[in-house]
Amino acid sequence: MSIKVFNLHCNNEHIFEGWFSSHNEYEEQISKNLITCPICSSSTISKLLSTPYIGKKRSNTLEKTQSNGDLNRTSLEQQAKTIESLRQIINKAENVGNSFAEEARLIHSGESQKTSIKGTISLDEKKELEEEGINIIPIPNFLDDDLLQ
Ligand SMILES: [Zn+2]
């Protein structure tokens, strides 16, 4: 059985990990407000990223959330907080430039102590990483400035 680990965040911007046996289990727990923030006990929880790895590709679309409908519930305020959290992760991530794929593998195998990295990869490398079970997320174009610092 595979376990899915999601980075979740509450409406007070605490970030924590949630472990689920499947995406459906996550959806079910979210819909029943069974997930609460371990820091402030808030049950207003959103999924942030699948893993802390940061990738980059040419796309101006944010990763879509997997919720079934209910998009209206995602307020602009919530989105702004998600983007702010993403920005913080990007700022803290170590820039490894073109070594991203290599570094991501070392982190995945436990050989690297780095926690989050950012850099550039080709579409082929992205596909290879995904096949190896290493999830990466695209940095939206409007956050490119953070990556390039
Ligand atoms: Zn909280």
Side-chain angles (χ1 to χ4, degrees), residues 109-136:
S109 64
E111 288 170 64
S112 168
Q113 298 304 310
K114 292 183 176 69
T115 52
S116 60
I117 55 172
K118 57 191 174 187
T120 51
I121 52 168
S122 67
L123 282 177
D124 283 346
E125 284 176 327
K126 179 176 184 290
K127 213 175 148 209
E128 281 172 22
L129 288 177
E130 283 170 354
E131 280 166 5
E132 289 165 36
I134 303 171
N135 292 318
I136 53 176

Side-chain angles (χ1 to χ4, degrees), residues 12-30:
N12 292 317
E13 299 185 45
H14 301 127
I15 297 174
F16 56 97
E17 280 185 350
W19 294 59
F20 308 93
S21 60
S22 67
H23 197 274
N24 284 343
E25 187 192 319
Y26 161 77
E27 293 287 353
E28 196 180 322
Q29 292 196 16
I30 275 284

